Amino acid sequence: MRDERGRAQGRVRLRAPAAGDADELIALNRASRALHQPWVAPPTSAEEFGRYLERCARADVCGLLACLADGGAIVGAITLSQIFYGPLQSAYMGYYVGAPYAGRGLMREAVALALDHAFGPLGLHRVEANIQPGNGASLALARRLGFVREGYSRRYLFIDGDWRDHERFAMLAEDWAALTAAGRGL
């Protein structure tokens, strides 16, 4: 079966988070603490989930849950934040997978779908991903999808109680269009 762009339909779908996702996402994130630390600090309590939903409701944020196409289980999350329009037309992308789903290529599919969304309906020109140098899985994912490394930012983000260095990667709309036309996007 093929989607509207002629691609084979994948194993994941993206959707916006909702209040009813709290228990499932919190349980997934709690079960994934060892995988996530020190790379990301996703919501692991009802209060944190409430703040996450509030953030996703802002005009400059697009929160997306990656869910299995078969059954709908949440496998991870992607956030496009600090969305700017006008001459910049860009956003920052963050993503994480739950431990039970790691290493299966599901987030590669999900991030590709998020890039389709960013460069399609959102009309962005640039998506930037900042990844800690020791986070081999996220670095590999960005490279596999064709993100270009643009630099290194010292003590860039405060995560898990410390300022952490990050490598800066970016994808441009025209790069993504060329990759998907060549069959490399997904």
Side-chain angles (χ1 to χ4, degrees):
M1 203 173 201
R2 300 250 174 219
D3 70 9
E4 67 278 355
R5 295 181 71 172
R7 294 187 194 166
Q9 289 187 346
R11 300 172 293 163
V12 296
R13 300 285 179 267
L14 300 180
R15 64 173 178 81
D21 296 317
D23 291 343
E24 183 180 359
L25 187 61
I26 289 168
L28 179 66
N29 292 340
R30 286 180 178 171
S32 304
R33 282 183 172 141
L35 176 67
H36 292 159
Q37 289 182 331
W39 319 121
V40 65
T44 56
S45 71
E47 296 77 22
E48 291 171 354
F49 182 83
R51 287 192 295 274
Y52 166 70
L53 272 188
E54 287 174 8
R55 184 170 180 247
C56 290
R58 293 180 5 200
D60 66 338
V61 175
C62 177
L64 300 165
L65 294 179
C67 302
L68 291 177
D70 184 19
I74 298 171
V75 302
I78 300 168
T79 304
L80 295 165
S81 63
Q82 297 182 38
I83 298 171
F84 290 98
Y85 288 102
L88 192 55
Q89 294 179 314
S90 73
Y92 293 99
M93 176 185 279
Y95 52 84
Y96 67 87
V97 66
Y101 306 102
R104 295 171 42 189
L106 296 169
M107 285 309 286
R108 181 185 186 283
E109 290 183 32
V111 171
L113 291 171
L115 289 169
D116 283 346
H117 186 67
F119 298 131
L122 293 181
L124 299 178
H125 173 72
R126 174 186 175 87
V127 172
E128 190 171 307
N130 292 283
I131 304 166
Q132 293 177 56
N135 190 344
S138 286
L139 290 169
L141 172 58
R143 288 182 178 120
R144 273 194 309 274
L145 283 170
F147 277 83
V148 174
R149 185 182 185 274
E150 293 186 333
Y152 189 86
S153 301
R154 297 177 307 126
R155 298 175 44 85
Y156 181 68
L157 285 173
F158 193 77
I159 298 173
D160 198 32
D162 200 8
W163 286 101
R164 303 195 182 269
D165 298 345
H166 283 69
E167 293 186 47
R168 188 173 55 257
F169 289 82
M171 178 69 71
L172 304 180
E174 56 268 26
D175 297 339
W176 186 243
L179 287 167
T180 56
R184 287 197 51 222
L186 182 59

